[in-house]
Amino acid sequence: MTSRARLLAVARGDEEPDLVVAGARVFCAFTREWLAGDVAVADGRIAGVGRYEGGERIDAGGRFLVPGLIDAHVHLESSKLLPAEFARVVVARGTTAVVCDPHEIANVLGVRGALWLLEASEGLALRVYAMAPSCVPASALESSRGALGPREMAEILRHERAIGVAEVMDFPSVIAGDAEVLAKVALHPHVDGHAPGVSGSALDAYAAAGIRSDHESTSWEEALEKRRRGLWVLLREASNARNLSAQLELVRRHGPEYCAFCTDDREPDMLVREGHIDGMCRQAVAEGIAPEDALVLATLHPARCHGLAELGAIAPGFHADMALLDDLEGFRAAVVIAGGRVAARDGRALPYDAPPVPGWVRDSVNAAPLASDAFDLGPASATADGATIGPDAAERDAGRVRVIEIVPGQLITRAAQEPPAVRDGRVVADPDRDLAKLAVIERHHATGRVGVGLVRGFGLRAGAFASTVAHDAHNIVVAGVDDASMTACVRRLIELGGGIAVADAGAVRGELALPVAGLLSEQPAEAVVERLDELVALLREQGVRIDAPFMTLSFLALSVIPDLKLTDRGLVDVAGARVVPLVV
Amino acid sequence: MTSRARLLAVARGDEEPDLVVAGARVFCAFTREWLAGDVAVADGRIAGVGRYEGGERIDAGGRFLVPGLIDAHVHLESSKLLPAEFARVVVARGTTAVVCDPHEIANVLGVRGALWLLEASEGLALRVYAMAPSCVPASALESSRGALGPREMAEILRHERAIGVAEVMDFPSVIAGDAEVLAKVALHPHVDGHAPGVSGSALDAYAAAGIRSDHESTSWEEALEKRRRGLWVLLREASNARNLSAQLELVRRHGPEYCAFCTDDREPDMLVREGHIDGMCRQAVAEGIAPEDALVLATLHPARCHGLAELGAIAPGFHADMALLDDLEGFRAAVVIAGGRVAARDGRALPYDAPPVPGWVRDSVNAAPLASDAFDLGPASATADGATIGPDAAERDAGRVRVIEIVPGQLITRAAQEPPAVRDGRVVADPDRDLAKLAVIERHHATGRVGVGLVRGFGLRAGAFASTVAHDAHNIVVAGVDDASMTACVRRLIELGGGIAVADAGAVRGELALPVAGLLSEQPAEAVVERLDELVALLREQGVRIDAPFMTLSFLALSVIPDLKLTDRGLVDVAGARVVPLVV
């Protein structure tokens, strides 16, 4: 008997199921009701909701059985965990499928890297689908190891778990009708978008290109504009892009249709402490959304958004991915079933065997030795007074410099202009005004290219911190108020083959190795979180006050999120899609 | 500039649109709102909703602009019109796309017939998508020209407008897990269903096979059971299956999600007098459904059900198929735009050139000459009194015969049992008890096979009427109370090469030729309706009282709708999937 024929026989009651979840309140995603009945599973699929004899039985005792949660858009690499370890963390919290965009690793290791990530997620309790990265590099203004063109994307699209074209971040080129980017959009009928702050006729043009989702809205009004144009609104709550709360009004006013949850980028500490999609359900319900609406945002809607026709519901023939919840406030998963098998109990996933990481994935940092003046910001202006420091001197000659201003909890930055601090005629950091130096060092081809600028918002008063996680090209990004500490951090990361480091007074105080592509640890999540906590504590001692400082740092290098960013090529005016000088 | 690049330029405001609908209230199917703005069209697609300069302008004057209406499931052939003529009728009423199952013509002419129907709908203002017929013949108990197996279905699925597997009507085989029918289901991920009255664990098995829609519910409770299992509920209002009203409670209680409108089978008179999907909107709103809910049932939902990602909404990049409505009660389309061009105004579609019909499509009736005893119902029982007529005689020997009992306005019939009327020892018709003879004559291979039985519910008091439209195998079906009139009808239909005829006293009184596959006329809709009206008037003179008598007659031969039907092979007990004798 084929697997399908056996499933039908179980549905009819002619054969025993493999597994029965008995006595649950069963969530029906198609009507947002709770149904009474036992759920039977055979060969990894749901046979039906009814009464069944035989099979392994799980007594639900009136608890809430819901479809496995789905993340509609995530960069797995932001977890800093290997795929199997990421799966262990999120499956324990009820997530059974994610749609990932492997563009972090593709920036570092090309097509081969993206395909390795899919290979490394083979056979997990978590279903990992991928979209083919469309913007590697994110723009011409940053330097990845190599570019992914339509040919390379097509190679990824041949994978059985590749389901479309990943977020088309180069929205200015899309809107302008650039032939090269439209060729990438045309590779597949299913295309994710990325259009932060884009509205009106520009948004019309972006949508008219055939792009059908967006996860970058920071207000419900922005999200509504996108939904009206037929874009799926992926409500995001990332470590440093906490956009859920501001968008829930869209669900209150217009219902949950054409909306779904996504996490985009979560640090491992956020995953461990706030959870994953379960955390978004908790937050939404705490903010007044009906649990049934939160649940469709977390299950059926992400599946429909991505055309995953057999996921997201407890219905006959669907994949048997389910979570048994204690209640509809905490959304704690007492039992998680993935592909018809118990994958987690009481918040703990079953052990797994992670496949070994091949050497070429590990050996990714290829940076030139750091020049002694690598972090020199140059002269304040042609007429600057070489002997003074501070705003008074700068104001006298009316020079101003561009400053990247961090917006706490957001990926966007503001482009500020300030009188520069000047020492010996050169622009320098000024901790008293929260002005730190920022540098991005090319690390794929040892070009020695370094971009430098100023950033405000970390609160850094001493030393420096650096990371080889630096969206999206993942060069080395470093922020600091003294050049010696910046240099120490960067040199250590090159030695480690990738990671995160904190230094003061020219010496490294703490580090986290990320040897896999310079992005991922091979340690368990808890160990990574502990180490990151220590590093954050060191940064607190050095004055840093904001949340998720490493993720914030890493996104300062992303040239496609407004307003002002820094890459190895210099300061990037995102709206203008050009490099601008430090001095105005 | 490519067409897509020009569309984007129009969206940005850099190029003039082809067409602008100015000053409408624009329906947003994603939020069920009405938006203010002008709608711009370029190269057949929507550029956006905003303000635009140039292009042809249609002043909407505050009227309601909605996406073109979509029929989620229709057998075009039931209109008895050529595709271009069907399109003319429905486009004038706001319909711009249909998903058809060409199984009528496939029963008569095989794969070649189905592909001809697609060819004949090329280039129309109406987008005609097709599902590959899965049940030709509908069951082994009726005789089409030939069977369509997976190989023939795959041939149809290669057509660019073929989008899935058509309604899998042989639900008993699906539920039983029959390998052959499961092989057909597995041909494509998108599969329509047909499960009249199927519920509980049988419905679980049907859904578990991977089938994802149904249009056969006759109550909202039945529809709810299907929706809970993830089947799209296609709310049907056909000529003789008026199921909309009974299902609207599902929309009232659970919202319009996972529901869509369909017409399935409409006689041309219904199309001309009650309209098409516009008529379903009218009815739904008259019965208290919000116009915005009715509109998503008529536009975006059928598109989503069928994965037609660029249809069903007025949004950038979507096909520019739209209807400008005077109001939200009458749903009259003042202007219809299809593919960015005006296709109808004031209820009149623009003229079209229908391609000529090839000879082989026309020459389809191949029946053996009718034997003189073709309509003999046989002896009432072994002990019947050969000299008497009427129930008294039959009751005396306790014999009973099976009678197909028509349920007005429904496709289902009831299986009644009655004492037979007997003359000369043979069972005969008995107009006083509304018992007419029914016969189905094989007409594809001249086998001479004739199935006979009794039917109640027409009210026929004299003569006979017949049709080569006889679902789904489209043999010749005839009902009558005298054998000479039945013979006259059938002989005339064979002469005509297909059609409908009414006879009395052994002579044909009226006829409608349906030379195209024995299913379609080549006349305009109005002429066909006029002729059908005349034929119905003749039937009224002969006692017939029910609505849509010809369509009712034609469905008495369909072996997959309960309870009792008649094919060329005999009386069919549908639930038992077997032929049963007339005498119990």
Side-chain angles (χ1 to χ4, degrees), chain A residues 251-333:
Chain A
V251 178
R252 284 187 205 103
R253 293 195 184 205
H254 295 282
E257 286 79 39
Y258 308 104
C259 295
F261 288 150
C262 78
T263 64
D264 204 2
D265 295 284
R266 284 202 174 188
E267 292 270 21
D269 64 329
M270 187 176 184
L271 288 174
V272 166
R273 295 195 178 112
E274 296 183 39
H276 188 232
I277 299 298
D278 59 322
M280 296 192 70
C281 292
R282 260 191 303 281
Q283 183 183 343
V285 169
E287 296 196 30
I289 301 298
E292 294 77 15
D293 285 356
L295 282 168
V296 293
L297 292 167
T299 60
L300 187 56
H301 288 193
R304 296 279 144 158
C305 166
H306 289 294
L308 298 167
E310 298 182 317
L311 289 183
I314 300 174
F318 279 61
H319 288 296
D321 297 351
M322 301 181 279
L324 185 62
L325 306 177
D326 290 335
D327 59 53
L328 299 178
E329 290 159 10
F331 286 88
R332 201 186 75 96

Side-chain angles (χ1 to χ4, degrees), chain A residues 199-436:
Chain A
S199 80
S201 59
L203 184 58
D204 287 338
Y206 190 73
I211 291 166
R212 287 287 157 248
S213 78
D214 176 78
H215 55 265
E216 295 290 343
S217 293
T218 56
S219 71
W220 74 267
E221 295 92 340
E222 183 183 353
L224 174 60
E225 252 213 271
K226 289 165 179 171
R227 181 161 149 189
R228 282 174 173 162
R229 285 165 174 83
L231 301 178
W232 275 85
V233 171
L234 306 186
L235 305 163
R236 174 175 63 189
E237 188 75 357
S239 283
N240 64 335
R242 294 185 173 266
N243 305 121
L244 178 60
S245 183
Q247 292 183 85
L248 287 177
E249 188 65 15
L250 175 65
V251 178
R252 284 187 205 103
R253 293 195 184 205
H254 295 282
E257 286 79 39
Y258 308 104
C259 295
F261 288 150
C262 78
T263 64
D264 204 2
D265 295 284
R266 284 202 174 188
E267 292 270 21
D269 64 329
M270 187 176 184
L271 288 174
V272 166
R273 295 195 178 112
E274 296 183 39
H276 188 232
I277 299 298
D278 59 322
M280 296 192 70
C281 292
R282 260 191 303 281
Q283 183 183 343
V285 169
E287 296 196 30
I289 301 298
E292 294 77 15
D293 285 356
L295 282 168
V296 293
L297 292 167
T299 60
L300 187 56
H301 288 193
R304 296 279 144 158
C305 166
H306 289 294
L308 298 167
E310 298 182 317
L311 289 183
I314 300 174
F318 279 61
H319 288 296
D321 297 351
M322 301 181 279
L324 185 62
L325 306 177
D326 290 335
D327 59 53
L328 299 178
E329 290 159 10
F331 286 88
R332 201 186 75 96
V335 180
V336 181
I337 294 163
R341 292 189 184 149
V342 173
R345 280 187 192 271
D346 299 321
R348 293 193 170 274
L350 302 193
Y352 64 92
D353 287 320
V357 177
W360 63 268
V361 177
R362 204 173 301 213
D363 201 17
S364 77
V365 176
N366 180 21
L370 215 50
S372 60
D373 64 347
F375 306 128
D376 179 16
L377 293 179
S381 77
T383 60
D385 175 350
T388 57
I389 181 166
D392 294 348
E395 272 165 17
R396 273 200 303 279
D397 75 358
R400 296 179 83 81
V401 287
R402 291 185 169 82
V403 173
I404 299 171
E405 197 165 275
I406 292 166
V407 182
Q410 304 293 336
L411 295 179
I412 53 167
T413 61
R414 302 209 195 291
Q417 294 187 4
E418 288 288 328
V422 180
R423 186 192 307 270
D424 299 332
R426 317 299 285 181
V427 178
V428 295
D430 184 356
D432 289 343
R433 287 191 291 149
D434 190 14
L435 293 177

